[in-house]
Amino acid sequence: MSSSLIPPHGGYREPKSFQHAQLVYDATVKFCDRCIDRRSRTRDQMVQAARSGRQNIAEGSQASGTSKKFELKLVGVARASLEELLLDFEDFLRQRGLRLWDKNHPTAIVVRSLAYEKNKSFLTYSPYIESASAEVAANTIICLIHQTNYLLDQQLRQLEQAFLKDGGFTERLYKTRTAARGKQ
């Protein structure tokens, strides 16, 4: 069997939000290596927030088969971590007197359009992060965070609706047990 046919991470399929969070994490690590002092607590916090966003999406996806409630909680933690990271990038720009792009900034439009590229990876965004100015790199990552947060907001809404409609594994198990006891 070809290894390309085996799904990553033990058989579950990664949500699109995870793929974007992976880009945010990789971009944040590269950005911090270039632009933030290695001894800075802010650097550690930024990398940890990016990592937390990615890891909590992955853990939530793995937990989805047994606990929708836990999945919902972990995806919410991922969203909060990325919101924290977003503020760190905005602080970086503000504290250095650099411009925060609005959504109509010409480069922001180009960066946002990269999300539609087939087989996008960190290399897709690399010119805007590794070889660009700190202002361009920070704003590029801010665009990526906004896109990831949009996907997470959609994912959270879907999870909430599914949980309200069907409950989680524990709730379904309880209903089944209650029904079985009622038949006795």
Side-chain angles (χ1 to χ4, degrees):
M1 173 185 257
S2 166
S3 63
S4 65
L5 298 177
I6 300 171
H9 304 293
Y12 78 94
R13 186 168 180 200
E14 294 168 343
K16 198 170 191 174
S17 61
F18 177 85
Q19 296 164 2
H20 279 260
Q22 178 75 45
L23 291 170
V24 169
Y25 175 66
D26 292 345
T28 299
V29 169
K30 295 287 187 182
F31 177 86
C32 287
D33 284 349
R34 260 187 65 213
C35 301
I36 309 280
D37 186 313
R38 287 196 183 276
R39 297 165 295 184
S40 167
R41 178 130 166 76
T42 300
R43 180 189 191 281
D44 293 340
Q45 289 176 316
M46 289 174 75
V47 170
Q48 269 311 114
R51 184 181 182 281
S52 175
R54 182 194 63 170
Q55 292 299 108
N56 280 291
I57 295 167
E59 288 176 37
S61 294
Q62 287 183 325
S64 70
T66 55
S67 176
K68 289 293 179 194
K69 183 178 176 182
F70 194 53
E71 179 184 16
L72 194 56
K73 178 183 175 185
L74 289 171
V75 172
V77 170
R79 178 65 169 83
S81 294
L82 292 176
E83 194 64 32
E84 177 185 332
L85 181 62
L86 177 63
L87 292 173
D88 285 335
F89 276 105
E90 290 173 351
D91 289 346
F92 175 88
L93 292 169
R94 187 185 71 258
Q95 291 168 355
R96 286 159 182 80
L98 301 174
R99 183 174 174 198
L100 173 63
W101 298 342
D102 66 27
K103 68 179 187 174
N104 296 317
H105 185 281
T107 310
I109 293 168
V110 171
V111 168
R112 285 198 324 267
S113 72
L114 296 174
Y116 301 103
E117 295 282 321
K118 270 191 168 183
N119 303 317
K120 69 181 170 298
S121 69
F122 177 76
L123 292 175
T124 308
Y125 296 90
S126 178
Y128 299 95
I129 297 164
E130 291 189 291
S131 55
S133 69
E135 180 178 313
V136 170
N139 277 292
T140 296
I141 299 169
I142 287 171
C143 289
L144 284 168
I145 294 169
H146 281 304
Q147 289 175 330
T148 307
N149 284 345
Y150 173 79
L151 292 170
L152 285 172
D153 289 343
Q154 287 184 317
Q155 188 175 347
L156 283 166
R157 275 192 294 281
Q158 291 170 354
L159 289 170
E160 288 168 358
Q161 289 172 356
F163 185 74
L164 289 172
K165 180 179 176 231
D166 302 322
F169 178 78
T170 306
E171 290 80 9
R172 289 191 308 272
L173 188 59
Y174 176 77
K175 287 178 189 175
T176 303
R177 255 192 329 245
T178 304
R181 286 182 188 151
K183 291 180 182 178
Q184 292 179 349

